[in-house]
């Protein structure tokens, strides 16, 4: 998946003893290699499990709805604790936070690869998200404090950004290769040797920064993470319960109460995770909402297409991973174009085109059926989806930080990235429920008396007529989800039209390399 988890630190003024300029070139080379590797680990953990999902479902007997938690456990912990991770790096030192995050991610990955139950794997995925929330901001903070401003830092930032973009596509390919050649467990185990290398090199590569004084907003972090998790849980319950059922309503209401408490905590806190004044800009608020929709649409694309390609089309995990390279090609081309044009056009035209192109891809995918093929029905929309996504990321990053005070540029950018993760979790919960209900209804039409059950899609073990019905019902459910996601992006286009008012001149003055 083309997930970008780059997060500017809230404080970038700390410098290691002696300053970045005095760091030896060899040490800087090692530092950049470790920072890029850590960023690759964080991005891979977003996308590498996607292609392995059908194998994980069969191995641990997940229901279709519960399978979503393999993705959402990571996304919610990562997104909900990202701002706290930046604060921890500031308070306790960037190198300590980096090493702590890498150690936890390595241990959580080993723990998850050994999982024999659903609960075990979900706990590991949650721990991976916590580790990523600590590691990602610390890595970028160390990049800023290690490399001198100007050409040196811009070059390092370019490497960092390239790795962030490559990681999404590479995750799908590696997920397929590992699942096919070894086991789904290796989509988690892969972090272990990489993490050990990072831990061995970090003490040599980085000098410790001077910790900042300040309080950690633990109540804020816990309330927002728990609140979002409860809302997602309630929305996912709607797939197996009525919308009016207590199992659906109670978690949603409890989550809403916790989110209200989070806002109250932030309004009264002397050191809030999310200063409420950051939302005063219409352009910035619009960028955050649009990023929520992009996160939801991306997660729907990768989650449902992975299941469709393997279950309905019958592709192997490895072939599925390579099938998503079409998305990466589209994203790479338009991301480059977007970076070159934004200084002349400003962010709004690019966002408008990007959201419409992505929406068109999802509308195209909504026509999928049991008889669809890759070349005729998937290749085109995947390229379009990648192209639309690539057009959106740079404008969104710029709109999020344009006009913000220097001391709040980090939190403004971090909120954008946290929004992508939260949007992914919310989107998968809502669209997963929509797809499950649409699948159930179609299955009941095709096979009365089946109860709409299309779980355990082991095509070769089913009679041909049952297999065809399951594939038809799944294709219909995924198509309905893609249709809804397309309309969500149409809403994002309208939001961009009315809220993103950053001029081309202001865009030209902003250092793009510093916000992507």
């Amino acid at each position: 998946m083309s997930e970008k988890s780059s997060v500017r630190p809230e404080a970038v003024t700390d410098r290691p003893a002696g300053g970045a300029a005095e760091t030896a070139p060899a040490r800087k080379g090692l530092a950049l290699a470790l920072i890029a590797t850590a960023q690759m680990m964080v991005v891979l953990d977003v996308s590498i499990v996607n292609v392995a999902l059908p194998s994980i479902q069969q191995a641990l007997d997940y229901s279709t709805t519960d399978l979503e938690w393999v993705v959402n456990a990571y996304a919610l912990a990562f997104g909900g604790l990202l701002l706290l991770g930046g604060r921890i790096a500031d308070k306790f030192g960037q190198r300590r936070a980096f090493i702590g995050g890498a150690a936890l991610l390595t241990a959580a990955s080993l723990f998850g690869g050994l999982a024999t139950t659903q609960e075990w794997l979900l706990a590991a995925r949650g721990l991976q998200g916590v580790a990523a929330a600590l590691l990602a901001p610390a890595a970028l903070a160390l990049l800023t404090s290690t490399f001198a401003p100007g050409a040196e830092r811009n070059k390092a930032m370019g490497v960092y950004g390239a790795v962030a973009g490559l990681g999404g596509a590479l995750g799908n390919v590696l997920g397929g290769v590992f699942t096919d050649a070894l086991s789904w467990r290796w989509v988690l185990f892969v972090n272990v040797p990489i993490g050990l290398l990072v831990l061995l090199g970090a003490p040599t590569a980085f000098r410790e920064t001077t910790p900042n004084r300040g309080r950690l907003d633990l109540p804020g972090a816990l309330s927002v993470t728990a609140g979002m998790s409860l809302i997602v849980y309630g929305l996912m319950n709607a797939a197996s319960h009525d919308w009016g059922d207590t199992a659906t309503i109670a978690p949603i209401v409890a989550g809403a109460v916790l989110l209200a408490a989070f806002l109250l905590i932030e309004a009264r806190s002397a050191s809030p995770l999310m200063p409420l004044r950051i939302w005063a800009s219409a352009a910035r608020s619009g960028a955050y909402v649009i990023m929520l929709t992009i996160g939801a649409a991306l997660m729907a694309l990768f989650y449902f297409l992975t299941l469709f390609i393997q279950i309905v089309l019958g592709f192997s995990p490895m072939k599925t991973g390579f099938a998503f390279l079409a998305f990466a090609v589209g994203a790479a081309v338009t991301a480059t174009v977007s970076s070159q044009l934004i200084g002349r056009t400003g962010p709004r035209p690019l966002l408008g085109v990007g959201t419409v192109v992505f929406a068109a891809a999802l509308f195209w995918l909504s026509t999928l059926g049991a008889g669809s093929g890759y070349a005729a029905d998937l290749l085109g929309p995947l390229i379009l989806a990648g192209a639309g996504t690539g057009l959106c990321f740079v404008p969104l990053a710029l709109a999020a930080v344009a006009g913000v005070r220097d001391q709040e540029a980090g939190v403004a950018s971090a909120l954008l990235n946290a929004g992508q993760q939260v949007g992914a979790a919310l989107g998968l919960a809502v669209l997963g429920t929509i797809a499950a209900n649409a699948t159930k209804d179609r299955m009941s039409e095709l096979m009365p008396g089946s109860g709409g059950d299309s779980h355990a899609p082991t095509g070769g073990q089913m009679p041909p007529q049952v297999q065809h019905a399951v594939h038809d019902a799944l294709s219909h459910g995924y198509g309905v989800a893609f249709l809804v996601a397309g309309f969500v992006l149409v809403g994002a286009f309208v939001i961009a039209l009315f809220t993103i008012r950053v001029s081309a001149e202001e865009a030209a003055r902003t250092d793009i390399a510093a916000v992507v």
Side-chain angles (χ1 to χ4, degrees):
M1 184 183 299
S2 182
E3 299 283 351
K4 302 192 74 174
S5 303
S6 52
V7 186
R8 293 180 65 193
E10 290 190 48
V12 296
T13 56
D14 286 343
R15 293 287 181 268
E22 297 181 15
T23 303
R27 180 176 287 178
K28 286 186 179 182
L30 176 60
L32 182 57
L34 293 179
I35 290 168
T37 302
Q39 177 65 7
M40 179 68 77
M41 292 172 69
V42 169
V43 177
L44 280 179
D45 284 338
V46 177
S47 60
I48 197 169
V49 301
N50 285 330
V51 177
L53 286 172
S55 299
I56 293 172
Q57 182 180 26
Q58 290 189 359
L60 300 183
D61 196 30
Y62 276 100
S63 69
T64 301
T65 303
D66 288 344
L67 186 66
E68 296 171 16
W69 279 108
V70 176
V71 176
N72 278 345
Y74 181 87
L76 284 169
F78 187 11
L81 298 174
L82 195 53
L83 294 174
L84 181 64
R87 291 284 195 193
I88 290 173
D90 288 342
K91 182 173 177 61
F92 296 105
Q94 296 163 5
R95 187 175 70 172
R96 291 188 187 93
F98 182 89
I99 292 174
L104 181 58
L105 185 55
T106 302
S109 299
L110 177 62
F111 179 61
L114 298 172
T116 57
T117 65
Q118 296 179 16
E119 295 78 12
W120 183 340
L121 180 59
L122 295 185
R125 287 290 286 166
L127 284 175
Q128 282 187 316
V130 173
L134 187 60
L135 184 60
L140 194 50
L142 283 169
L143 187 150
T144 305
S145 60
T146 301
F147 296 91
E152 181 180 271
R153 186 181 297 170
N154 288 342
K155 182 179 179 180
M157 197 66 84
V159 172
Y160 178 90
V163 167
L166 176 64
L170 186 60
N172 288 303
V173 174
L174 289 179
V177 171
F178 287 143
T179 303
D180 243 7
L182 298 169
S183 161
W184 65 265
R185 298 180 183 280
W186 278 92
V187 303
L188 296 157
F189 284 150
V190 66
N191 276 336
V192 177
I194 299 173
L196 290 175
L197 290 175
V198 170
L199 290 171
L200 286 173
T204 301
F206 305 115
R207 295 177 179 175
E208 188 55 271
T209 53
T210 303
N212 291 335
R213 293 182 179 180
R215 298 174 59 188
L216 291 178
D217 185 10
L218 289 175
L222 293 175
S223 59
V224 70
T225 305
M228 292 306 309
S229 299
L230 283 170
I231 289 175
V232 166
Y233 178 72
L235 291 171
M236 289 171 63
N237 275 348
S240 53
H241 300 78
D242 292 334
W243 280 101
D245 195 287
T246 302
T248 301
I249 293 177
I252 293 175
V253 171
V257 170
L258 282 173
L259 290 183
F262 167 70
L263 293 177
L264 187 61
I265 291 168
E266 298 308 282
R268 295 182 174 183
S269 175
S271 301
L273 283 179
M274 185 187 73
L276 298 184
R277 61 180 174 272
I278 209 79
W279 293 84
S281 164
R284 195 173 304 117
S285 298
Y288 294 152
V289 175
I290 293 169
M291 184 55 95
L292 279 171
T293 68
I294 296 291
L298 278 173
M299 185 54 69
L301 178 80
F302 283 93
Y303 183 85
F304 295 125
L305 269 192
T306 294
L307 297 178
F308 177 84
I309 291 173
Q310 291 192 48
I311 296 171
V312 180
L313 298 188
F315 281 26
S316 68
M318 185 182 299
K319 194 174 179 182
T320 301
F322 281 100
F324 282 107
L325 286 179
F327 177 94
V329 171
V333 172
T334 56
T336 302
V337 172
S338 178
S339 297
Q340 295 172 345
L341 289 180
I342 196 166
R344 285 179 280 173
T345 66
R348 183 168 59 175
L350 295 172
L351 274 175
V353 174
T355 51
V356 167
V357 169
F358 197 173
L362 291 170
F363 289 142
W364 189 347
L365 288 172
S366 71
T367 65
L368 290 176
S372 296
Y374 179 78
D377 303 294
L378 291 181
L379 182 60
L382 275 171
I383 293 173
L384 275 183
T389 302
L391 284 172
C392 289
F393 272 117
V394 171
L396 284 172
L398 188 143
V401 300
V404 75
R405 295 185 294 182
D406 288 345
Q407 63 268 36
E408 291 180 348
V411 70
S413 182
L415 274 172
L416 186 71
N417 290 281
Q420 183 183 349
Q421 300 301 324
V422 171
L426 282 173
L428 185 54
V430 174
L431 296 172
T433 295
I434 291 171
N437 287 330
T439 299
K440 190 184 301 182
D441 291 343
R442 175 59 67 91
M443 196 68 185
S444 295
E445 293 174 7
L446 295 173
M447 298 187 66
S450 68
D453 182 24
S454 60
H455 176 48
T458 53
Q461 300 176 12
M462 292 184 286
Q465 67 272 22
V466 176
Q467 178 179 325
H468 178 76
V470 168
H471 288 180
D472 185 284
L474 288 171
S475 300
H476 173 71
Y478 301 154
V480 172
F482 287 134
L483 185 66
V484 174
F487 281 115
V488 169
L489 286 180
V490 171
F493 166 78
V494 174
I495 293 171
L497 198 63
F498 288 100
T499 65
I500 307 300
R501 301 288 184 179
V502 180
S503 67
E505 292 76 14
E506 190 172 4
R509 291 195 304 268
T510 304
D511 182 6
I512 300 298
V515 298
V516 296

